[in-house]
Every structure is written in structure tokens, then in C-alpha cells.
Amino acid sequence: MATKNIRLEVMQAIEPKVQDYMDSFLIPVEDIWQPSDFLPDPQGDKFLDEVEQLREESKELGYDFWVTMVADTITEEALPTYESWLMDVEGINQHAEEETGWAKWVRAWTAEENRHGDVLNKYLYLSGRVNMREMEVSTQHLLADGFDIGTDRDPYKNFVYTSFQELATNISHKRVGQMAKKKGNALLGKMCTIIAGDEMRHHLAYREFVKTILEHDPNGMIMAFAHMMKMKIVMPAHFLRESGGTIGTAFENFSNCAQRLGVYTSQDYIEILQKLNAYWDIENLRSLNDEAEKARDYLVKLPARLERIAERMKFPEDQYQFKWVEANGTL
């Protein structure tokens, strides 16, 4: 049977479980937090005072921090690209006469994720620490440029990617929140921490999708996992650019900044892989065909190999001057 047909059969077999996944890993719209819960109330009498307090608290945060905040926000605001990509994955079938469980999941996931860019954008606007027009130009470029994460329309590869990427964004937002809180910015710390919580719930869901697929098609799933790791998991904003720049140049400089600040590092990448290997029990998978066994062995050995590479990696210590943020010292 063709690989494509097997994947479609597996996606259809799992679909009845999707509503349970939504009940377990998503929060009803009426119950979940909204950006206005964290930001000054423009209808309130103390709005201007609250904005002034927000701006004062923002002054203690350094240059690398704001660059990371901007890049994180732009990444979140490129959500239309991510939704359109996932809706085109084999087995999602957004054009079915009746809404499929998978299409319903993607829309509900998008709705939760959409709040992240909203709240971060509004915060940056009020903080006065960021050149908003330059940031907006970068956001429009990222949406216009799209992305290619190496998954094609393959649901297996896409779910490996989202399992990995959601945990990566959880780590990044959580650490940014910790840094903000350490500098006395309790509001921003709480905001980033609760965003990180959303990312963790989403990671747990996609991780469960892969685990379930492994029960139905272990050979196909483990080969898809190995393929993604050989390609390397690229970040969704890897085409990030500034005004007048070329595709991807700003992302490389931002990555160096995040590594230097300790927000997201090569060691984090390795540890995410180790956690996925452990949860999916990759080392103990049995009854695989020859190609899948080779993929399993590759995945088991990969963390140690990446550790050796990471030990030799060096990152620029000098700050690159982004157009998004005026130089104001470092953390």
C-alpha cells in the first residue's frame, strides 16, 4: 500500500479521538485568558497611570531582552502562515462536507495561539521600547515570505515538528518571563509565563498525536521522526528579515542573541530531542522493518552526537544592531 494511503488511513482511524484531545488539551473560549486581562484598561479611569507604570517597569530590561521579545512576537504574529500550512496537511481535509475533527483541532489551536501575538504586540506598543514600524515591516515580510519547515503535507512529519516546536516556544517564553520577573516586571513575567503554559498544553497534545500514530504505524512514524531530525527542526521564523534585508538574515542574528541571553540554546534543542525519545520510548520499539530499525538507532544515538557538536559551537559575543530596538545596554 502506498505511504500516502497508509497515512490517510491512520489519520482517519485517529480522528474519533480528536474531540477528546481538544477536551484534554484546549480550554473553552469563555474560560481562557484574554489579552485584556493583562493590559491597562483603556475604558478605566487609571489607564494612563497604568501605562506609565508599565513604561517605567520596562526601562530595566536590556537590549538583548527586547530583541528577543520582538522576535518572539513576530513569530507569534505569523500565525496565518502556520494555520494555512496545517490546513493543507494530508488527512486534515478542511473541505469535507462536515467539519472533520482534525480541521476543528487546527482552528481551535489557532484561536488559542492567536492571543499570544495580540498581547505581546500591545505590550510592546505601550512599553515605548520598540520601533513598532520596523517590527511591523518584519512581520509583514515574514507573512509574505511564508516558510518551509521540511514537512511537506505529511501529517507524521508535521506532528513531529509541532511536538518539538511547541516545547521550544514553551522554554523561550518561560525564560523570558523569568528574566522579566527578576528585573521587577511582574506583569510581563506573568504574561510570558501563562503564554508558556499554553505552549506546553499544545506540546502535550501533539506529542500524544505522535504516540497514537506509533501504535498504528510505527515504521512510518519513526522514519518520519528520523527524517525531521536529519533535516533539523528549523524555527517557524527562520525566514525573518528586517526592512531592506534579505530572507533569513535577521533570524540568524536573533538566534545568536537568544543563545547569548540563554533564552533558547543548542542544549535546549538536544534536551527536547531526549524528552521526545523518552516519551515515545524510541529505544524500545520492536517489530520494525529494517529501514525503521536504522531510523530508531539513529534517533537513539543522535543526542550524544549533537552534544559533541554543541561543545565545538561558538556564537558571536558582539551585539548586532537591529532596527527594531535602540541600543540601551544589556542584561
Side-chain angles (χ1 to χ4, degrees), residues 188-215:
L188 183 55
K190 184 177 180 181
M191 187 188 305
C192 291
T193 299
I194 201 166
I195 290 174
D198 284 356
E199 305 289 8
M200 176 56 77
R201 283 189 293 103
H202 300 162
H203 157 70
L204 295 176
Y206 285 113
R207 188 183 71 166
E208 205 62 30
F209 295 171
V210 172
K211 182 179 179 182
T212 304
I213 292 171
L214 278 166
E215 296 171 0

Side-chain angles (χ1 to χ4, degrees), residues 156-169:
Y156 294 10
K157 293 175 184 176
N158 275 281
F159 290 159
V160 168
Y161 180 86
T162 48
S163 297
F164 196 105
Q165 180 56 30
E166 294 281 11
L167 186 52
T169 51

Side-chain angles (χ1 to χ4, degrees), residues 57-291:
E57 291 177 349
S58 298
K59 291 180 179 179
E60 296 300 318
L61 302 168
Y63 181 80
D64 280 354
F65 181 92
W66 288 111
V67 168
T68 301
M69 279 286 294
V70 168
D72 282 353
T73 302
I74 294 172
T75 301
E76 295 286 357
E77 291 207 297
L79 197 59
T81 296
Y82 315 148
E83 181 183 33
S84 62
W85 184 280
L86 285 172
M87 277 298 194
D88 195 44
V89 168
E90 294 283 357
I92 300 297
N93 195 10
Q94 64 172 315
H95 301 295
E97 290 186 9
E98 294 186 11
E99 186 178 41
T100 67
W102 289 116
K104 189 176 180 182
W105 164 270
V106 173
R107 292 191 179 102
W109 168 84
T110 300
E112 285 202 357
E113 288 280 339
N114 187 65
R115 294 147 42 259
H116 302 168
D118 281 352
V119 72
L120 292 173
N121 185 298
K122 290 183 176 75
Y123 182 90
L124 291 179
Y125 180 85
L126 293 173
S127 75
R129 308 302 294 173
V130 171
N131 184 324
M132 291 301 296
R133 192 176 197 285
E134 286 292 343
M135 185 184 110
E136 289 158 358
V137 167
S138 289
T139 301
Q140 186 170 350
H141 270 308
L142 189 58
L143 282 164
D145 292 334
F147 76 160
D148 183 357
I149 53 176
T151 58
D152 196 24
R153 300 179 67 201
D154 184 339
Y156 294 10
K157 293 175 184 176
N158 275 281
F159 290 159
V160 168
Y161 180 86
T162 48
S163 297
F164 196 105
Q165 180 56 30
E166 294 281 11
L167 186 52
T169 51
N170 162 265
I171 292 168
S172 177
H173 284 303
K174 181 169 60 179
R175 289 200 181 132
V176 167
Q178 290 169 344
M179 291 175 184
K181 187 176 180 181
K182 187 176 180 180
K183 287 290 185 177
N185 196 320
L187 173 63
L188 183 55
K190 184 177 180 181
M191 187 188 305
C192 291
T193 299
I194 201 166
I195 290 174
D198 284 356
E199 305 289 8
M200 176 56 77
R201 283 189 293 103
H202 300 162
H203 157 70
L204 295 176
Y206 285 113
R207 188 183 71 166
E208 205 62 30
F209 295 171
V210 172
K211 182 179 179 182
T212 304
I213 292 171
L214 278 166
E215 296 171 0
H216 288 76
D217 183 14
N219 291 315
M221 187 68 250
I222 198 166
M223 286 189 289
F225 185 16
H227 172 85
M228 290 305 299
M229 298 315 303
K230 288 176 182 176
M231 294 275 294
K232 296 183 180 178
I233 302 291
V234 297
M235 297 300 106
H238 64 289
F239 283 169
L240 188 63
R241 63 160 105 177
E242 295 180 279
S243 62
T246 55
I247 288 178
T249 52
F251 181 77
E252 182 178 352
N253 290 318
F254 156 63
S255 295
N256 292 334
C257 177
Q259 178 85 24
R260 186 168 58 240
L261 194 61
V263 167
Y264 183 72
T265 68
S266 56
Q267 187 59 42
D268 292 318
Y269 185 98
I270 297 167
E271 290 178 4
I272 292 173
L273 172 58
Q274 290 173 325
K275 289 177 180 178
L276 294 178
N277 274 349
Y279 186 77
W280 295 329
D281 200 20
I282 298 300
E283 187 170 4
N284 296 314
L285 286 178
R286 296 293 180 265
S287 301
L288 302 173
N289 62 32
D290 291 344
E291 191 175 359

Side-chain angles (χ1 to χ4, degrees), residues 20-68:
D20 290 338
Y21 292 140
M22 293 179 65
D23 293 340
S24 297
F25 299 112
L26 300 180
I27 298 174
V29 175
E30 303 298 333
D31 299 333
I32 202 167
W33 65 271
Q34 296 297 334
S36 57
D37 296 335
F38 294 94
L39 298 166
D41 180 5
Q43 292 184 309
D45 295 335
K46 297 181 179 180
F47 174 68
L48 294 179
D49 292 337
E50 291 171 351
V51 171
E52 183 59 32
Q53 181 180 349
L54 185 154
R55 292 168 69 90
E56 283 297 317
E57 291 177 349
S58 298
K59 291 180 179 179
E60 296 300 318
L61 302 168
Y63 181 80
D64 280 354
F65 181 92
W66 288 111
V67 168
T68 301

